[in-house]
Structures are given as structure tokens and as C-alpha cells.
Amino acid sequence: MTVQEADVAGLVGEQLTMSAFNQLSGSLGGYSFVKVVVDRHNGTIHFLNNARHEFHAIYIGQEILGIAEADMRARIDEFNQSFYHASDRRFFLGILSLHQREDRRMFSLETVEVDTMSAGMIEFFYAEVRKNVDAATPLFFKPANHLQEQAVAELPVERLPRILAHELFSTAEFVALNPGTTKGRLRAFRTEQEYRQNSLEWFDIVVMHRVPDDIPRLAGIINASHTTPLSHTNVLATGWSIPNAIQLGAFDLIDRENLDGQWVEYEVSPKGATVGLRLIDEPEDLGQRPAWYAQRITLEEPEDTYNPILNLGRIRYNDSHRYGTKAANLGELHHVLAEESRRMLGFFSVPRPPRDNLMPYLAKLLNRNEEDDLLAAAQQLLAERVRVPRGVALPFSMHQGFLESSPKIQQAIGKLKMALELNAREIEPLCVELQRLIRKTRVPDYLLSELDSALVENLAGVKTFVVRSSSNAEDLAGFSAAGIYESYNHVTSAEKIVESVKEVWASLVSARSVRLRQQAGISLDDCFMGVVIQEQVDASFGGVMVTTNPMNRNDFRNVYINVSPNVTDVVEGSKQPMQYLYSTVEGGGRTVSLGDAGEDLDVNGHAQLQRLAVVGRLLQAHFSPDYTFDSPVDIEWLATDEILYVLQLRPYSI
């Protein structure tokens, strides 16, 4: 088949020139790629036309086996077993990607992540592709999962040149973190000091190497250095539905095109190779409020009448209007660990094309047979492997009792409310003064006595505590509030616990939290702060997981996991975490980035991450607001080799 004919189905049995590659290729995550099929039966290689064939299997059925698409889809599990798992398979399937760095370019070859090729099969597949692509361009095999990494380690590098996924990710010049298009004024800050010296408007698009966690709501973000999709700023960008991307060399582009301070249209597309920036005229409607001002968040009416301090195990999901969302979710987790929840299997009970039945996959992940009681097996996994650190929840009524004990605090709250109604400029100094009063005001004796009794009864013997916020205006489906309220670790004495509680209360009226809630339509009158006090547990490593793939929202298989090998880095955010994708269908994981770590986790660490991924799917289903069980959750966790500790759980906006 000639290149001119290749736009019909693909290139068969021919050398793949660069011209043919460009004609056949698709684009994803900044890379051009071509799907590859090697037919060992007749020694033929096929390069697929991406515009015509979204799936390898459909191409094989239509173009090689003569099977209609409907029949292939109906028998997809049968064929996939042959394509990806059979030791005597006829077809070898993969993706050939082109990577370009300045004047250098290279190909990477990878299989799908579920493929169980042996080392010998990988070597055969690589050799067949190598002899059919441009010999002048280096070709490297990229393992698609940890099992393949172990397999290729057995082969000499001269026979199988290889490159790992995290090595490519660390040099990727463009990563689409949150797709979208917006118009705004481009503001480029090379240092945090420069950022602090300027004020930002809602229509600004910020460009920085590291965007500070306290950014106000704005129009878009460009990260000029690598970051993780699960950082606070990126979680906020997702919740705000604003375009967000990594673009190395962003400052060079801005300087070259003289874009700083200019009005641009900014586009982030997963299919793009770079961020899209196009000069536009300054809009005439800047005096109007942005469209998101109309997107109001409605809170359940809070209850500030007396409620006791309770052990987390006695709180349920529906108690959020008394103890805050975080405490209610943790209390519900205690319940899930103690009793069966039929909702846990919800994600796997729904057909997800091309998979009509995910239960066999869940059975395999739980090391059970299909006919076994999978609900009991899931409950056993949680009972044996998952813990919620014990703790207590302080109700809204305690916060309210403290505020009402001080006339000065009440007067300051009144001034702040009036300033908010008038949208006055004095909001920030009023917030600072109110926070100062909260920190210095003494907690009434009756509240101190109740707190002390609750800690003695529920947490006697604990040496180190964590004090966390639990507002009714956080961890919501439309308002995550990631990073805007305070939490404190390594709290030891009774005095420090009380100080930390007051700091958490004070964070409810920080200038930033007040502004963000105001923009979301959440009135200060409706906001209350509960507090969670928990035992601080010892662990080997920890991090954050979202039960979706934030860089590919159509990927129902994988969850995204950030890992900090040192537990202190989890809470401090001082170092770039390791990043992983783990499948909750076929199983298996791959390392996306090592971050600032010197080496990957060991086999036991990878096994814990796989368990964590499955646990995440089970909890996602239980906490789902509907019966599609599609809504992902954001889980903060710690782990030893045996136990997974869930520290908090909240909805993750997509």
C-alpha cells in the first residue's frame, strides 16, 4: 500500500517513513502517535490510520479477520484475552510515539498497560517494529507497567533499548492538566516575590514556575515547571473549570512574542502539542462580573445549637451540618469499615463499554472466583487492610459558643459582614483583625472542660495529634476549598491542642477563604467550623489519590496516585511527589514520575498502591451521590507495608 492510499485504513507491510507517520498519526498529550499491529501469522506489520481506527481490535476484526465491528464488540473480552494475554498470540499490539526535543527526535514503542508479554515476546515485537521504521530515528521500548519493567530488566540494553515512562514525563514540554479555553490578561511572574508585589484580577492568566497555594480565583494557569495534577493549585483549577497546563519554556515564548500583560485567548487541549496563546483585543465587558459569579453554592442549613464532642465512629455522613464535611466523611468511613455496604460494589456493577461486566475483574483484584461472595471479600479487604486513625469531632456549636463568648469578636464579625455586603476595600484588614482576636481570646472554661473530657475518654495514651478543619464550606462537590483552611500536625500538649483549634477556627475568616466563598455565593452567616482531632499515626509513606485519571477524563480504568516516600513531605508539600497510575479493572500500575525521589518504590510498595487503588474504587461507590457511581473521590492516605490509613476523603471535581 502506498502512502497516498494509507488514508483509507493504514499502511500494511511497508516501511513507515516520516511522511507516512505524519499522515497516519493522531495526537495525545503533546505527542504524535501511530497504532501498530504485528501479525506473526504471516510476518506482516500494520500501521493504523488513527482517524479511521480508534481501537486495535476493531481494525484487526475488520481489516484482517473479516469480522464486523458489532461482532467484535460483542466478543471483545474473548479477543482481548487473545490479544493481550495469550502466550501463543498471533497479534502484537502497540503504540509508536514520536518525541521531539529541539533538533533531536526519537520513537518510543509501548503496549497497552494490561499486556502481559514476556521478555522474549517484547524483544520480538521491538525487533519487528525496529526494522520497519525510519532507521535514522532512535527507537526505545517503553514498559507500560511495572511487570514489563521487571521483564525488560532481564534483557541486555543493546538488544532492547528502553526508556521508562517517568523519564519521558520529566522531560515532557507540555502536559494538559485541565483542558479548556478562556480569554484573559497574561501575567508572567518569574519569582514568588514578584507575584506578591502585584495584585491579580479574576480575568488574569498566571504564568509561574510554581504557582502559590494561595492564588485567588482567576481565569487560567500555566506552570512553567513540572508539577503534579494533584497539587492544591491544580485541584482548585479543576474545581474552578479553568484551563491549566505545564509548558516548559513558557517564559521564552512569552518574551519572544511580547505577551506579558497582553490580552490573549488561552487554550489547553489534550490533543495539542503546546499551549495555545493567541493575541486578542481587550474585551469591552470588563466591568461585568464573570460568568462563574452566577454559579452559586447552596449549603445545607447548619445546626449551631448544642451538640456534644463525639468519637468519629459515632458520626455518619448526614451529620455534616453539625460537625462539618470532613468529620462526617471520616465518621462514615468508620461505619463502612465496621459494616457491609452494598453500595461498595456499585462501580463494578455498571457496564462500562467496551466492558459489559466488570465483576470478573473485581473478583481477580480481590483474589476470588467470580461465583464467590464479592461483597464479603471487599469487606474483608477493608477490615484487614484499612484503618481510619481514631479521633473526635468538635461540633459547630463549640465554635459558635467560643465566638459568642467575646463581645469584641462579635463586633468584628459585624464589621466584616457589613464590608462584605458593600464589597468594601477594607475586607482584608478586617479579616486580619478578626483572626487576631480569635487567636488571643481565651476559650471559656466549660468548653475547655468538655474538650479535655472527650480527649481523655477517646484518645488517652496518644502522644501526638493532628488537628484538622471540618467546615460545612469545604470538601463539597462544587467547592473543594483545597488548602484554604488550616490543619496542624505534630501537636503534643493540651495547650497546643487548644491553640491549634483556635487557629483552625481563625482560618474560616482568613481574607482568602472569605473571598473565595463570597465568589461562590456562600455567605459568612452560613459558615461554621468544626474540628477533627485525631491520633497521628506512624507510616512508611503516604500521599493523595484521586479515583480518576485527571489527564484523561475518559479513562474509567485508572486512578492517579501521588506518593511522598517521606511522610512529612505529604503535609508540607516541600518536594515533588512520585506519581502513579493504577488500573482498577485489569490491575497493574505504572510510574508516571519519580518527582524528587531518587528511586522507585519496591515491590511491596507497588502492591500496597494496587490495594489502595481498589479500596479507592470501593469507597468511591459508597460515597457516590448518584447511581452511576462515576463521581471520583480525593483521598489523603498513609501506608505501612500492611495497613492503609485513610486520613480524609472528599469529592473530586471533574
Side-chain angles (χ1 to χ4, degrees):
M1 178 180 290
T2 66
V3 174
Q4 286 73 24
E5 295 170 327
D7 62 337
V8 176
L11 187 66
V12 182
E14 300 275 347
Q15 284 278 322
L16 182 71
T17 64
M18 279 297 173
S19 175
F21 180 91
N22 292 332
Q23 289 186 48
L24 298 171
S25 64
S27 179
L28 183 64
Y31 299 127
S32 298
F33 69 91
V34 168
K35 300 182 184 73
V36 182
V37 173
V38 171
D39 184 351
R40 188 163 61 174
H41 184 73
N42 55 23
T44 304
I45 191 167
H46 302 249
F47 298 102
L48 283 55
N49 180 354
N50 185 73
R52 284 283 308 277
H53 295 285
E54 184 179 3
F55 300 108
H56 292 84
I58 304 303
Y59 173 88
I60 293 172
Q62 291 179 328
E63 305 295 334
I64 303 177
L65 301 178
I67 300 175
E69 180 176 347
D71 292 339
M72 285 296 296
R73 290 185 181 277
R75 300 167 57 194
I76 194 66
D77 285 339
E78 172 192 342
F79 282 106
N80 281 345
Q81 177 65 30
S82 170
F83 295 158
Y84 300 128
H85 303 296
S87 58
D88 60 347
R89 69 184 72 176
R90 172 181 172 179
F91 299 106
F92 288 69
L93 285 56
I95 299 288
L96 183 69
S97 300
L98 180 64
H99 309 269
Q100 193 136 359
R101 297 290 181 272
E102 298 176 350
D103 59 343
R104 297 179 294 111
R105 60 188 181 187
M106 55 170 262
F107 283 124
S108 69
L109 175 67
E110 62 182 308
T111 71
V112 297
E113 63 200 46
V114 301
D115 202 304
T116 56
M117 283 188 192
S118 65
M121 296 166 76
I122 290 172
E123 188 174 14
F124 164 80
F125 185 39
Y126 173 86
E128 289 298 306
V129 176
R130 172 70 281 179
K131 68 186 182 184
N132 284 283
V133 299
D134 180 11
T137 305
L139 172 65
F140 297 87
F141 183 78
K142 185 177 86 170
N145 52 51
H146 293 138
L147 289 176
Q148 285 191 0
E149 288 181 13
Q150 297 171 27
V152 301
E154 303 171 8
L155 300 172
V157 69
E158 59 271 16
R159 282 183 12 212
L160 185 79
R162 75 290 307 261
I163 189 166
L164 301 181
H166 67 79
E167 294 173 322
L168 283 175
F169 183 84
S170 65
T171 60
E173 295 182 354
F174 169 72
V175 179
L177 295 173
N178 197 50
T181 302
T182 192
K183 296 178 181 179
R185 181 179 60 179
L186 200 66
R187 306 291 302 279
F189 304 119
R190 286 171 168 79
T191 66
E192 184 169 346
Q193 180 181 5
E194 187 179 350
Y195 163 83
R196 300 292 176 195
Q197 292 171 347
N198 289 268
S199 60
L200 291 174
E201 301 290 346
W202 62 265
F203 48 73
D204 284 328
I205 299 166
V206 157
V207 185
M208 294 185 70
H209 285 291
R210 185 189 183 281
V211 180
D213 288 345
D214 62 356
I215 57 167
R217 187 159 187 169
L218 35 71
I221 296 173
I222 300 176
N223 302 273
S225 298
H226 273 281
T227 183
T228 164
L230 305 188
S231 71
H232 277 154
T233 54
N234 295 330
V235 170
L236 287 172
T238 302
W240 293 338
S241 298
I242 62 174
N244 183 23
I246 296 168
Q247 180 64 68
L248 303 189
F251 289 110
D252 293 337
L253 169 65
I254 291 167
D255 290 344
R256 187 168 60 249
E257 302 293 334
N258 192 29
L259 296 177
D260 191 16
Q262 300 295 320
W263 284 85
V264 299
E265 181 180 75
Y266 168 38
E267 180 182 12
V268 175
S269 170
K271 296 183 178 181
T274 183
V275 297
L277 291 173
R278 182 176 65 86
L279 280 170
I280 60 172
D281 294 330
E282 181 175 332
E284 297 179 355
D285 58 352
L286 285 182
Q288 300 178 12
R289 285 184 169 182
W292 43 260
Y293 255 97
Q295 300 169 5
R296 307 288 85 181
I297 302 297
T298 303
L299 300 182
E300 182 181 5
E301 184 175 354
E303 183 178 300
D304 60 352
T305 56
Y306 177 76
N307 281 289
I309 299 173
L310 286 182
N311 185 295
L312 286 173
R314 295 176 59 192
I315 296 174
R316 294 293 301 276
Y317 184 76
N318 291 330
D319 289 318
S320 60
H321 66 298
R322 299 184 183 96
Y323 294 90
T325 314
K326 191 173 297 177
N329 288 345
L330 289 173
E332 187 71 14
L333 274 171
H334 274 283
H335 172 74
V336 173
L337 297 183
E339 299 183 30
E340 282 189 355
S341 163
R342 300 205 65 83
R343 292 179 62 88
M344 278 199 302
L345 303 189
F347 176 85
F348 297 93
S349 68
V350 177
R352 301 182 187 278
R355 300 285 183 259
D356 290 332
N357 182 8
L358 293 184
M359 286 300 186
Y361 295 94
L362 175 60
K364 184 176 179 181
L365 291 168
L366 296 174
N367 296 314
R368 295 292 194 274
N369 297 316
E370 291 182 42
E371 60 273 13
D372 290 346
D373 184 343
L374 297 186
L375 180 59
Q379 190 66 39
Q380 183 178 353
L381 170 65
L382 296 181
E384 293 179 351
R385 295 286 188 171
V386 182
R387 302 286 185 273
V388 179
R390 58 194 177 119
V392 297
L394 279 54
F396 294 162
S397 59
M398 185 171 183
H399 177 217
Q400 186 68 7
F402 168 75
L403 297 179
E404 291 176 349
S405 71
S406 168
K408 289 184 178 180
I409 289 179
Q410 289 299 299
Q411 186 178 26
I413 291 173
K415 290 180 179 179
L416 177 57
K417 288 179 180 179
M418 182 174 296
L420 289 169
E421 289 179 7
L422 300 174
N423 198 26
R425 293 184 178 180
E426 295 81 6
I427 289 174
E428 183 167 346
L430 288 173
C431 288
V432 171
E433 173 61 14
L434 180 52
Q435 287 188 293
R436 186 190 70 81
L437 288 172
I438 290 172
R439 293 184 181 109
K440 68 173 288 190
T441 298
R442 188 176 184 280
V443 179
D445 288 342
Y446 78 95
L447 293 178
L448 291 175
S449 177
E450 185 177 358
L451 175 60
D452 183 69
S453 296
L455 294 176
V456 169
E457 180 181 350
N458 295 282
L459 294 172
V462 173
K463 293 182 178 180
T464 310
F465 299 83
V466 177
V467 180
R468 303 178 184 275
S469 67
S470 183
S471 170
N472 62 332
E474 65 177 315
D475 296 352
L476 306 174
F479 188 74
S480 73
I484 72 169
Y485 303 128
E486 297 293 345
S487 292
Y488 294 89
N489 299 276
H490 312 298
V491 181
T492 52
S493 66
E495 179 183 359
K496 292 296 183 182
I497 289 175
V498 174
E499 288 180 7
S500 299
V501 168
K502 290 201 292 182
E503 289 288 351
V504 171
W505 284 339
S507 69
L508 186 70
V509 290
S510 70
R512 180 166 180 254
S513 68
V514 167
R515 282 294 193 191
L516 289 176
R517 290 195 306 269
Q518 183 187 34
Q519 292 165 356
I522 301 174
S523 168
L524 185 60
D525 284 327
D526 296 330
C527 296
F528 290 88
M529 181 64 78
V531 181
V532 172
I533 303 175
Q534 287 178 284
E535 175 184 16
Q536 183 166 316
V537 298
D538 294 326
S540 306
F541 54 101
V544 177
M545 170 179 64
V546 293
T547 57
T548 186
N549 180 354
M551 295 187 291
N552 181 4
R553 306 301 167 83
N554 294 321
D555 177 6
F556 70 86
R557 291 176 170 83
N558 289 295
V559 304
Y560 205 91
I561 304 176
N562 273 7
V563 176
S564 296
N566 295 314
V567 172
T568 55
D569 296 337
V570 177
V571 294
E572 294 173 1
S574 54
K575 295 183 179 180
Q576 284 295 319
M578 307 160 83
Q579 300 173 49
Y580 298 85
L581 279 167
Y582 269 84
S583 174
T584 58
V585 180
E586 295 88 355
R590 62 184 185 273
T591 306
V592 177
S593 171
L594 287 182
D596 291 329
E599 58 183 7
D600 207 339
L601 296 177
D602 59 18
V603 174
N604 289 334
H606 288 160
Q608 272 293 62
L609 294 187
Q610 180 70 78
R611 293 187 195 99
L612 175 67
V614 176
V615 167
R617 282 291 190 227
L618 298 173
L619 295 180
Q620 170 185 322
H622 178 83
F623 283 88
S624 175
D626 57 34
Y627 297 97
T628 65
F629 305 103
D630 285 334
S631 301
V633 291
D634 175 336
I635 295 175
E636 185 179 326
W637 57 276
L638 295 173
T640 66
D641 283 344
E642 299 296 327
I643 300 299
L644 296 165
Y645 293 97
V646 177
L647 306 182
Q648 66 180 42
L649 179 150
R650 60 189 173 199
Y652 179 74
S653 299
I654 57 174

